[in-house]
PDB file of all heavy atoms in Angstrom:
ATOM      1  N   ILE H  16     -16.146  -2.655   7.004  1.00  0.00           N
ATOM      2  CA  ILE H  16     -16.134  -3.793   6.079  1.00  0.00           C
ATOM      3  C   ILE H  16     -15.067  -4.829   6.525  1.00  0.00           C
ATOM      4  O   ILE H  16     -15.395  -6.027   6.581  1.00  0.00           O
ATOM      5  CB  ILE H  16     -15.816  -3.301   4.669  1.00  0.00           C
ATOM      6  CG1 ILE H  16     -16.927  -2.367   4.175  1.00  0.00           C
ATOM      7  CG2 ILE H  16     -15.664  -4.485   3.701  1.00  0.00           C
ATOM      8  CD1 ILE H  16     -18.313  -3.019   4.065  1.00  0.00           C
ATOM      9  N   LEU H  17     -13.862  -4.343   6.792  1.00  0.00           N
ATOM     10  CA  LEU H  17     -12.807  -5.282   7.210  1.00  0.00           C
ATOM     11  C   LEU H  17     -13.179  -5.962   8.531  1.00  0.00           C
ATOM     12  O   LEU H  17     -12.947  -7.151   8.681  1.00  0.00           O
ATOM     13  CB  LEU H  17     -11.460  -4.559   7.337  1.00  0.00           C
ATOM     14  CG  LEU H  17     -10.940  -4.053   6.028  1.00  0.00           C
ATOM     15  CD1 LEU H  17      -9.685  -3.199   6.277  1.00  0.00           C
ATOM     16  CD2 LEU H  17     -10.576  -5.167   5.089  1.00  0.00           C
ATOM     17  N   PHE H  18     -13.742  -5.208   9.435  1.00  0.00           N
ATOM     18  CA  PHE H  18     -14.162  -5.760  10.730  1.00  0.00           C
ATOM     19  C   PHE H  18     -15.248  -6.813  10.537  1.00  0.00           C
ATOM     20  O   PHE H  18     -15.186  -7.915  11.164  1.00  0.00           O
ATOM     21  CB  PHE H  18     -14.667  -4.644  11.662  1.00  0.00           C
ATOM     22  CG  PHE H  18     -14.999  -5.175  13.048  1.00  0.00           C
ATOM     23  CD1 PHE H  18     -14.003  -5.512  13.928  1.00  0.00           C
ATOM     24  CD2 PHE H  18     -16.357  -5.287  13.450  1.00  0.00           C
ATOM     25  CE1 PHE H  18     -14.330  -5.962  15.197  1.00  0.00           C
ATOM     26  CE2 PHE H  18     -16.623  -5.730  14.684  1.00  0.00           C
ATOM     27  CZ  PHE H  18     -15.655  -6.040  15.538  1.00  0.00           C
ATOM     28  N   GLN H  19     -16.189  -6.562   9.633  1.00  0.00           N
ATOM     29  CA  GLN H  19     -17.232  -7.552   9.348  1.00  0.00           C
ATOM     30  C   GLN H  19     -16.632  -8.814   8.743  1.00  0.00           C
ATOM     31  O   GLN H  19     -17.060  -9.908   9.118  1.00  0.00           O
ATOM     32  CB  GLN H  19     -18.265  -7.005   8.420  1.00  0.00           C
ATOM     33  CG  GLN H  19     -19.201  -5.978   9.096  1.00  0.00           C
ATOM     34  CD  GLN H  19     -20.219  -5.410   8.147  1.00  0.00           C
ATOM     35  OE1 GLN H  19     -20.004  -5.410   6.938  1.00  0.00           O
ATOM     36  NE2 GLN H  19     -21.323  -4.882   8.667  1.00  0.00           N
ATOM     37  N   VAL H  20     -15.676  -8.706   7.889  1.00  0.00           N
ATOM     38  CA  VAL H  20     -15.044  -9.897   7.304  1.00  0.00           C
ATOM     39  C   VAL H  20     -14.376 -10.686   8.373  1.00  0.00           C
ATOM     40  O   VAL H  20     -14.470 -11.874   8.465  1.00  0.00           O
ATOM     41  CB  VAL H  20     -14.104  -9.491   6.151  1.00  0.00           C
ATOM     42  CG1 VAL H  20     -13.265 -10.662   5.711  1.00  0.00           C
ATOM     43  CG2 VAL H  20     -14.906  -8.888   5.004  1.00  0.00           C
ATOM     44  N   TRP H  21     -13.613  -9.953   9.243  1.00  0.00           N
ATOM     45  CA  TRP H  21     -12.901 -10.662  10.333  1.00  0.00           C
ATOM     46  C   TRP H  21     -13.876 -11.358  11.255  1.00  0.00           C
ATOM     47  O   TRP H  21     -13.675 -12.490  11.678  1.00  0.00           O
ATOM     48  CB  TRP H  21     -12.031  -9.695  11.124  1.00  0.00           C
ATOM     49  CG  TRP H  21     -10.839  -9.210  10.386  1.00  0.00           C
ATOM     50  CD1 TRP H  21     -10.071  -9.906   9.460  1.00  0.00           C
ATOM     51  CD2 TRP H  21     -10.212  -7.970  10.505  1.00  0.00           C
ATOM     52  NE1 TRP H  21      -9.053  -9.139   9.034  1.00  0.00           N
ATOM     53  CE2 TRP H  21      -9.125  -7.898   9.658  1.00  0.00           C
ATOM     54  CE3 TRP H  21     -10.467  -6.813  11.283  1.00  0.00           C
ATOM     55  CZ2 TRP H  21      -8.261  -6.828   9.529  1.00  0.00           C
ATOM     56  CZ3 TRP H  21      -9.611  -5.716  11.169  1.00  0.00           C
ATOM     57  CH2 TRP H  21      -8.534  -5.734  10.290  1.00  0.00           C
ATOM     58  N   MET H  22     -14.975 -10.662  11.588  1.00  0.00           N
ATOM     59  CA  MET H  22     -15.866 -11.210  12.543  1.00  0.00           C
ATOM     60  C   MET H  22     -16.641 -12.398  11.907  1.00  0.00           C
ATOM     61  O   MET H  22     -16.997 -13.345  12.603  1.00  0.00           O
ATOM     62  CB  MET H  22     -16.891 -10.179  13.021  1.00  0.00           C
ATOM     63  CG  MET H  22     -16.229  -9.069  13.849  1.00  0.00           C
ATOM     64  SD  MET H  22     -15.271  -9.731  15.264  1.00  0.00           S
ATOM     65  CE  MET H  22     -16.532 -10.433  16.271  1.00  0.00           C
ATOM     66  N   GLN H  23     -16.895 -12.367  10.593  1.00  0.00           N
ATOM     67  CA  GLN H  23     -17.517 -13.494   9.913  1.00  0.00           C
ATOM     68  C   GLN H  23     -16.595 -14.713  10.013  1.00  0.00           C
ATOM     69  O   GLN H  23     -17.062 -15.797  10.245  1.00  0.00           O
ATOM     70  CB  GLN H  23     -17.806 -13.128   8.491  1.00  0.00           C
ATOM     71  CG  GLN H  23     -18.572 -14.173   7.702  1.00  0.00           C
ATOM     72  CD  GLN H  23     -17.680 -15.309   7.130  1.00  0.00           C
ATOM     73  OE1 GLN H  23     -16.534 -15.038   6.792  1.00  0.00           O
ATOM     74  NE2 GLN H  23     -18.252 -16.493   7.044  1.00  0.00           N
ATOM     75  N   GLU H  24     -15.279 -14.497   9.843  1.00  0.00           N
ATOM     76  CA  GLU H  24     -14.352 -15.586   9.941  1.00  0.00           C
ATOM     77  C   GLU H  24     -14.309 -16.149  11.352  1.00  0.00           C
ATOM     78  O   GLU H  24     -14.067 -17.330  11.587  1.00  0.00           O
ATOM     79  CB  GLU H  24     -12.926 -15.135   9.562  1.00  0.00           C
ATOM     80  CG  GLU H  24     -12.833 -14.954   8.040  1.00  0.00           C
ATOM     81  CD  GLU H  24     -11.401 -14.584   7.622  1.00  0.00           C
ATOM     82  OE1 GLU H  24     -10.527 -14.455   8.495  1.00  0.00           O
ATOM     83  OE2 GLU H  24     -11.182 -14.372   6.433  1.00  0.00           O
ATOM     84  N   LEU H  25     -14.597 -15.281  12.334  1.00  0.00           N
ATOM     85  CA  LEU H  25     -14.662 -15.764  13.719  1.00  0.00           C
ATOM     86  C   LEU H  25     -16.019 -16.392  14.023  1.00  0.00           C
ATOM     87  O   LEU H  25     -16.216 -16.863  15.158  1.00  0.00           O
ATOM     88  CB  LEU H  25     -14.437 -14.570  14.664  1.00  0.00           C
ATOM     89  CG  LEU H  25     -13.050 -13.937  14.566  1.00  0.00           C
ATOM     90  CD1 LEU H  25     -12.975 -12.694  15.448  1.00  0.00           C
ATOM     91  CD2 LEU H  25     -11.941 -14.875  14.965  1.00  0.00           C
ATOM     92  N   GLY H  26     -16.912 -16.401  13.091  1.00  0.00           N
ATOM     93  CA  GLY H  26     -18.239 -16.969  13.282  1.00  0.00           C
ATOM     94  C   GLY H  26     -19.212 -16.007  14.002  1.00  0.00           C
ATOM     95  O   GLY H  26     -20.206 -16.438  14.507  1.00  0.00           O
ATOM     96  N   GLN H  27     -18.906 -14.732  13.975  1.00  0.00           N
ATOM     97  CA  GLN H  27     -19.748 -13.785  14.687  1.00  0.00           C
ATOM     98  C   GLN H  27     -20.764 -13.108  13.771  1.00  0.00           C
ATOM     99  O   GLN H  27     -21.794 -12.640  14.284  1.00  0.00           O
ATOM    100  CB  GLN H  27     -18.860 -12.701  15.354  1.00  0.00           C
ATOM    101  CG  GLN H  27     -17.857 -13.266  16.300  1.00  0.00           C
ATOM    102  CD  GLN H  27     -18.486 -13.793  17.558  1.00  0.00           C
ATOM    103  OE1 GLN H  27     -19.436 -13.253  18.035  1.00  0.00           O
ATOM    104  NE2 GLN H  27     -17.960 -14.892  18.075  1.00  0.00           N
ATOM    105  N   LEU H  28     -20.525 -12.964  12.497  1.00  0.00           N
ATOM    106  CA  LEU H  28     -21.451 -12.238  11.581  1.00  0.00           C
ATOM    107  C   LEU H  28     -21.715 -13.038  10.355  1.00  0.00           C
ATOM    108  O   LEU H  28     -20.764 -13.735   9.835  1.00  0.00           O
ATOM    109  CB  LEU H  28     -20.824 -10.879  11.161  1.00  0.00           C
ATOM    110  CG  LEU H  28     -20.697  -9.794  12.233  1.00  0.00           C
ATOM    111  CD1 LEU H  28     -19.942  -8.616  11.647  1.00  0.00           C
ATOM    112  CD2 LEU H  28     -22.051  -9.350  12.693  1.00  0.00           C
ATOM    113  N   PRO H  29     -22.887 -12.998   9.818  1.00  0.00           N
ATOM    114  CA  PRO H  29     -23.249 -13.752   8.579  1.00  0.00           C
ATOM    115  C   PRO H  29     -22.851 -13.011   7.317  1.00  0.00           C
ATOM    116  O   PRO H  29     -23.649 -12.943   6.395  1.00  0.00           O
ATOM    117  CB  PRO H  29     -24.722 -13.938   8.701  1.00  0.00           C
ATOM    118  CG  PRO H  29     -25.210 -12.691   9.421  1.00  0.00           C
ATOM    119  CD  PRO H  29     -24.091 -12.351  10.367  1.00  0.00           C
ATOM    120  N   VAL H  30     -21.708 -12.379   7.237  1.00  0.00           N
ATOM    121  CA  VAL H  30     -21.325 -11.592   6.082  1.00  0.00           C
ATOM    122  C   VAL H  30     -20.229 -12.352   5.357  1.00  0.00           C
ATOM    123  O   VAL H  30     -19.247 -12.746   5.970  1.00  0.00           O
ATOM    124  CB  VAL H  30     -20.811 -10.187   6.480  1.00  0.00           C
ATOM    125  CG1 VAL H  30     -20.256  -9.478   5.277  1.00  0.00           C
ATOM    126  CG2 VAL H  30     -21.906  -9.376   7.103  1.00  0.00           C
ATOM    127  N   GLN H  31     -20.393 -12.617   4.117  1.00  0.00           N
ATOM    128  CA  GLN H  31     -19.403 -13.208   3.272  1.00  0.00           C
ATOM    129  C   GLN H  31     -18.587 -12.102   2.611  1.00  0.00           C
ATOM    130  O   GLN H  31     -19.144 -11.116   2.186  1.00  0.00           O
ATOM    131  CB  GLN H  31     -20.060 -14.121   2.206  1.00  0.00           C
ATOM    132  CG  GLN H  31     -20.833 -15.250   2.782  1.00  0.00           C
ATOM    133  CD  GLN H  31     -19.945 -16.257   3.507  1.00  0.00           C
ATOM    134  OE1 GLN H  31     -18.818 -16.478   3.094  1.00  0.00           O
ATOM    135  NE2 GLN H  31     -20.468 -16.816   4.552  1.00  0.00           N
ATOM    136  N   PRO H  32     -17.278 -12.273   2.393  1.00  0.00           N
ATOM    137  CA  PRO H  32     -16.479 -11.296   1.720  1.00  0.00           C
ATOM    138  C   PRO H  32     -16.958 -11.010   0.317  1.00  0.00           C
ATOM    139  O   PRO H  32     -16.902  -9.931  -0.201  1.00  0.00           O
ATOM    140  CB  PRO H  32     -15.041 -11.904   1.714  1.00  0.00           C
ATOM    141  CG  PRO H  32     -15.025 -12.871   2.807  1.00  0.00           C
ATOM    142  CD  PRO H  32     -16.445 -13.369   2.965  1.00  0.00           C
ATOM    143  N   SER H  33     -17.555 -11.995  -0.348  1.00  0.00           N
ATOM    144  CA  SER H  33     -18.134 -11.814  -1.684  1.00  0.00           C
ATOM    145  C   SER H  33     -19.325 -10.951  -1.690  1.00  0.00           C
ATOM    146  O   SER H  33     -19.780 -10.464  -2.731  1.00  0.00           O
ATOM    147  CB  SER H  33     -18.403 -13.165  -2.324  1.00  0.00           C
ATOM    148  OG  SER H  33     -19.344 -13.867  -1.566  1.00  0.00           O
ATOM    149  N   ASP H  34     -19.981 -10.739  -0.508  1.00  0.00           N
ATOM    150  CA  ASP H  34     -21.203  -9.901  -0.393  1.00  0.00           C
ATOM    151  C   ASP H  34     -20.797  -8.423  -0.450  1.00  0.00           C
ATOM    152  O   ASP H  34     -21.676  -7.584  -0.695  1.00  0.00           O
ATOM    153  CB  ASP H  34     -21.959 -10.134   0.910  1.00  0.00           C
ATOM    154  CG  ASP H  34     -22.575 -11.506   0.964  1.00  0.00           C
ATOM    155  OD1 ASP H  34     -22.734 -12.136  -0.193  1.00  0.00           O
ATOM    156  OD2 ASP H  34     -22.942 -11.994   2.034  1.00  0.00           O
ATOM    157  N   VAL H  35     -19.546  -8.086  -0.253  1.00  0.00           N
ATOM    158  CA  VAL H  35     -19.098  -6.746  -0.239  1.00  0.00           C
ATOM    159  C   VAL H  35     -18.728  -6.312  -1.694  1.00  0.00           C
ATOM    160  O   VAL H  35     -17.890  -6.901  -2.281  1.00  0.00           O
ATOM    161  CB  VAL H  35     -17.855  -6.516   0.655  1.00  0.00           C
ATOM    162  CG1 VAL H  35     -17.372  -5.064   0.608  1.00  0.00           C
ATOM    163  CG2 VAL H  35     -18.156  -6.969   2.076  1.00  0.00           C
ATOM    164  N   PRO H  36     -19.442  -5.340  -2.202  1.00  0.00           N
ATOM    165  CA  PRO H  36     -19.121  -4.962  -3.628  1.00  0.00           C
ATOM    166  C   PRO H  36     -17.719  -4.382  -3.728  1.00  0.00           C
ATOM    167  O   PRO H  36     -17.273  -3.728  -2.827  1.00  0.00           O
ATOM    168  CB  PRO H  36     -20.177  -3.822  -3.887  1.00  0.00           C
ATOM    169  CG  PRO H  36     -21.215  -3.907  -2.814  1.00  0.00           C
ATOM    170  CD  PRO H  36     -20.561  -4.577  -1.678  1.00  0.00           C
ATOM    171  N   LEU H  37     -17.080  -4.746  -4.822  1.00  0.00           N
ATOM    172  CA  LEU H  37     -15.686  -4.346  -5.043  1.00  0.00           C
ATOM    173  C   LEU H  37     -15.493  -2.830  -4.927  1.00  0.00           C
ATOM    174  O   LEU H  37     -14.548  -2.379  -4.255  1.00  0.00           O
ATOM    175  CB  LEU H  37     -15.151  -4.901  -6.305  1.00  0.00           C
ATOM    176  CG  LEU H  37     -13.731  -4.602  -6.635  1.00  0.00           C
ATOM    177  CD1 LEU H  37     -12.816  -5.237  -5.597  1.00  0.00           C
ATOM    178  CD2 LEU H  37     -13.384  -5.107  -7.978  1.00  0.00           C
ATOM    179  N   PRO H  38     -16.308  -1.969  -5.547  1.00  0.00           N
ATOM    180  CA  PRO H  38     -16.122  -0.542  -5.419  1.00  0.00           C
ATOM    181  C   PRO H  38     -16.156  -0.077  -3.999  1.00  0.00           C
ATOM    182  O   PRO H  38     -15.395   0.815  -3.581  1.00  0.00           O
ATOM    183  CB  PRO H  38     -17.229   0.061  -6.250  1.00  0.00           C
ATOM    184  CG  PRO H  38     -17.630  -0.987  -7.209  1.00  0.00           C
ATOM    185  CD  PRO H  38     -17.425  -2.302  -6.504  1.00  0.00           C
ATOM    186  N   GLN H  39     -17.078  -0.650  -3.208  1.00  0.00           N
ATOM    187  CA  GLN H  39     -17.180  -0.274  -1.807  1.00  0.00           C
ATOM    188  C   GLN H  39     -15.943  -0.688  -1.024  1.00  0.00           C
ATOM    189  O   GLN H  39     -15.425   0.044  -0.204  1.00  0.00           O
ATOM    190  CB  GLN H  39     -18.422  -0.887  -1.208  1.00  0.00           C
ATOM    191  CG  GLN H  39     -18.681  -0.457   0.214  1.00  0.00           C
ATOM    192  CD  GLN H  39     -19.941  -1.099   0.825  1.00  0.00           C
ATOM    193  OE1 GLN H  39     -20.540  -1.976   0.226  1.00  0.00           O
ATOM    194  NE2 GLN H  39     -20.305  -0.626   1.984  1.00  0.00           N
ATOM    195  N   LEU H  40     -15.455  -1.868  -1.296  1.00  0.00           N
ATOM    196  CA  LEU H  40     -14.232  -2.371  -0.635  1.00  0.00           C
ATOM    197  C   LEU H  40     -13.031  -1.505  -1.003  1.00  0.00           C
ATOM    198  O   LEU H  40     -12.271  -1.112  -0.164  1.00  0.00           O
ATOM    199  CB  LEU H  40     -13.966  -3.813  -0.999  1.00  0.00           C
ATOM    200  CG  LEU H  40     -12.752  -4.485  -0.349  1.00  0.00           C
ATOM    201  CD1 LEU H  40     -12.919  -4.499   1.158  1.00  0.00           C
ATOM    202  CD2 LEU H  40     -12.554  -5.880  -0.862  1.00  0.00           C
ATOM    203  N   LEU H  41     -12.942  -1.090  -2.304  1.00  0.00           N
ATOM    204  CA  LEU H  41     -11.845  -0.211  -2.747  1.00  0.00           C
ATOM    205  C   LEU H  41     -11.920   1.131  -2.006  1.00  0.00           C
ATOM    206  O   LEU H  41     -10.916   1.660  -1.624  1.00  0.00           O
ATOM    207  CB  LEU H  41     -11.852  -0.043  -4.243  1.00  0.00           C
ATOM    208  CG  LEU H  41     -11.447  -1.293  -5.041  1.00  0.00           C
ATOM    209  CD1 LEU H  41     -11.615  -1.052  -6.526  1.00  0.00           C
ATOM    210  CD2 LEU H  41     -10.073  -1.734  -4.709  1.00  0.00           C
ATOM    211  N   ARG H  42     -13.180   1.676  -1.911  1.00  0.00           N
ATOM    212  CA  ARG H  42     -13.294   2.939  -1.210  1.00  0.00           C
ATOM    213  C   ARG H  42     -12.875   2.839   0.236  1.00  0.00           C
ATOM    214  O   ARG H  42     -12.267   3.753   0.776  1.00  0.00           O
ATOM    215  CB  ARG H  42     -14.757   3.456  -1.299  1.00  0.00           C
ATOM    216  CG  ARG H  42     -15.077   4.115  -2.595  1.00  0.00           C
ATOM    217  CD  ARG H  42     -16.407   4.881  -2.505  1.00  0.00           C
ATOM    218  NE  ARG H  42     -17.538   4.031  -2.099  1.00  0.00           N
ATOM    219  CZ  ARG H  42     -18.295   3.293  -2.952  1.00  0.00           C
ATOM    220  NH1 ARG H  42     -18.039   3.262  -4.219  1.00  0.00           N
ATOM    221  NH2 ARG H  42     -19.294   2.581  -2.431  1.00  0.00           N
ATOM    222  N   ARG H  43     -13.190   1.725   0.865  1.00  0.00           N
ATOM    223  CA  ARG H  43     -12.812   1.532   2.272  1.00  0.00           C
ATOM    224  C   ARG H  43     -11.272   1.408   2.427  1.00  0.00           C
ATOM    225  O   ARG H  43     -10.673   2.009   3.326  1.00  0.00           O
ATOM    226  CB  ARG H  43     -13.479   0.265   2.847  1.00  0.00           C
ATOM    227  CG  ARG H  43     -14.963   0.283   2.868  1.00  0.00           C
ATOM    228  CD  ARG H  43     -15.474   1.264   3.866  1.00  0.00           C
ATOM    229  NE  ARG H  43     -16.925   1.126   3.859  1.00  0.00           N
ATOM    230  CZ  ARG H  43     -17.739   2.031   4.264  1.00  0.00           C
ATOM    231  NH1 ARG H  43     -17.288   3.152   4.754  1.00  0.00           N
ATOM    232  NH2 ARG H  43     -19.009   1.809   4.285  1.00  0.00           N
ATOM    233  N   LEU H  44     -10.687   0.683   1.530  1.00  0.00           N
ATOM    234  CA  LEU H  44      -9.228   0.569   1.599  1.00  0.00           C
ATOM    235  C   LEU H  44      -8.549   1.872   1.325  1.00  0.00           C
ATOM    236  O   LEU H  44      -7.536   2.180   1.934  1.00  0.00           O
ATOM    237  CB  LEU H  44      -8.732  -0.555   0.608  1.00  0.00           C
ATOM    238  CG  LEU H  44      -9.098  -1.959   0.959  1.00  0.00           C
ATOM    239  CD1 LEU H  44      -8.715  -2.890  -0.183  1.00  0.00           C
ATOM    240  CD2 LEU H  44      -8.433  -2.403   2.272  1.00  0.00           C
ATOM    241  N   LEU H  45      -9.058   2.651   0.336  1.00  0.00           N
ATOM    242  CA  LEU H  45      -8.485   3.948   0.112  1.00  0.00           C
ATOM    243  C   LEU H  45      -8.729   4.936   1.215  1.00  0.00           C
ATOM    244  O   LEU H  45      -7.899   5.861   1.471  1.00  0.00           O
ATOM    245  CB  LEU H  45      -9.042   4.513  -1.209  1.00  0.00           C
ATOM    246  CG  LEU H  45      -8.555   3.780  -2.473  1.00  0.00           C
ATOM    247  CD1 LEU H  45      -9.306   4.290  -3.712  1.00  0.00           C
ATOM    248  CD2 LEU H  45      -7.049   3.926  -2.662  1.00  0.00           C
ATOM    249  N   ALA H  46      -9.799   4.776   1.968  1.00  0.00           N
ATOM    250  CA  ALA H  46     -10.046   5.663   3.108  1.00  0.00           C
ATOM    251  C   ALA H  46      -8.979   5.477   4.192  1.00  0.00           C
ATOM    252  O   ALA H  46      -8.669   6.438   4.937  1.00  0.00           O
ATOM    253  CB  ALA H  46     -11.454   5.364   3.699  1.00  0.00           C
ATOM    254  N   PHE H  47      -8.431   4.263   4.297  1.00  0.00           N
ATOM    255  CA  PHE H  47      -7.344   4.073   5.268  1.00  0.00           C
ATOM    256  C   PHE H  47      -6.132   4.916   4.911  1.00  0.00           C
ATOM    257  O   PHE H  47      -5.285   5.260   5.759  1.00  0.00           O
ATOM    258  CB  PHE H  47      -6.886   2.590   5.277  1.00  0.00           C
ATOM    259  CG  PHE H  47      -7.710   1.745   6.183  1.00  0.00           C
ATOM    260  CD1 PHE H  47      -8.578   0.803   5.598  1.00  0.00           C
ATOM    261  CD2 PHE H  47      -7.684   1.807   7.528  1.00  0.00           C
ATOM    262  CE1 PHE H  47      -9.381  -0.018   6.374  1.00  0.00           C
ATOM    263  CE2 PHE H  47      -8.438   0.976   8.337  1.00  0.00           C
ATOM    264  CZ  PHE H  47      -9.291   0.080   7.744  1.00  0.00           C
ATOM    265  N   MET H  48      -5.968   5.206   3.633  1.00  0.00           N
ATOM    266  CA  MET H  48      -4.772   5.885   3.145  1.00  0.00           C
ATOM    267  C   MET H  48      -4.835   7.423   3.355  1.00  0.00           C
ATOM    268  O   MET H  48      -3.776   8.097   3.152  1.00  0.00           O
ATOM    269  CB  MET H  48      -4.578   5.561   1.689  1.00  0.00           C
ATOM    270  CG  MET H  48      -3.222   5.681   1.193  1.00  0.00           C
ATOM    271  SD  MET H  48      -2.954   4.975  -0.430  1.00  0.00           S
ATOM    272  CE  MET H  48      -4.132   5.829  -1.411  1.00  0.00           C
ATOM    273  N   ARG H  49      -5.960   7.930   3.708  1.00  0.00           N
ATOM    274  CA  ARG H  49      -6.085   9.396   3.820  1.00  0.00           C
ATOM    275  C   ARG H  49      -5.020  10.067   4.674  1.00  0.00           C
ATOM    276  O   ARG H  49      -4.477  11.096   4.230  1.00  0.00           O
ATOM    277  CB  ARG H  49      -7.495   9.774   4.368  1.00  0.00           C
ATOM    278  CG  ARG H  49      -8.447   9.991   3.290  1.00  0.00           C
ATOM    279  CD  ARG H  49      -9.667  10.690   3.746  1.00  0.00           C
ATOM    280  NE  ARG H  49     -10.753  10.327   2.770  1.00  0.00           N
ATOM    281  CZ  ARG H  49     -11.782   9.554   3.017  1.00  0.00           C
ATOM    282  NH1 ARG H  49     -11.918   9.113   4.229  1.00  0.00           N
ATOM    283  NH2 ARG H  49     -12.629   9.279   2.090  1.00  0.00           N
ATOM    284  N   PRO H  50      -4.637   9.534   5.821  1.00  0.00           N
ATOM    285  CA  PRO H  50      -3.589  10.227   6.571  1.00  0.00           C
ATOM    286  C   PRO H  50      -2.223  10.231   5.859  1.00  0.00           C
ATOM    287  O   PRO H  50      -1.343  11.029   6.231  1.00  0.00           O
ATOM    288  CB  PRO H  50      -3.500   9.419   7.909  1.00  0.00           C
ATOM    289  CG  PRO H  50      -4.686   8.586   7.941  1.00  0.00           C
ATOM    290  CD  PRO H  50      -5.192   8.434   6.572  1.00  0.00           C
ATOM    291  N   LEU H  51      -2.030   9.376   4.943  1.00  0.00           N
ATOM    292  CA  LEU H  51      -0.756   9.192   4.248  1.00  0.00           C
ATOM    293  C   LEU H  51      -0.829   9.648   2.797  1.00  0.00           C
ATOM    294  O   LEU H  51       0.021   9.243   1.981  1.00  0.00           O
ATOM    295  CB  LEU H  51      -0.283   7.774   4.369  1.00  0.00           C
ATOM    296  CG  LEU H  51      -0.068   7.284   5.796  1.00  0.00           C
ATOM    297  CD1 LEU H  51       0.096   5.771   5.818  1.00  0.00           C
ATOM    298  CD2 LEU H  51       1.114   7.939   6.425  1.00  0.00           C
TER     299      LEU H  51
END
Side-chain angles (χ1 to χ4, degrees):
I16 298 297
L17 293 174
F18 184 74
Q19 285 179 339
V20 171
W21 288 328
M22 294 308 293
Q23 186 276 330
E24 286 182 0
L25 297 173
Q27 302 290 323
L28 291 174
V30 174
Q31 297 295 324
S33 61
D34 292 342
V35 179
L37 183 61
Q39 184 180 9
L40 182 61
L41 290 175
R42 279 193 305 272
R43 299 290 186 201
L44 289 172
L45 289 173
F47 277 108
M48 204 169 57
R49 269 194 203 112
L51 299 167

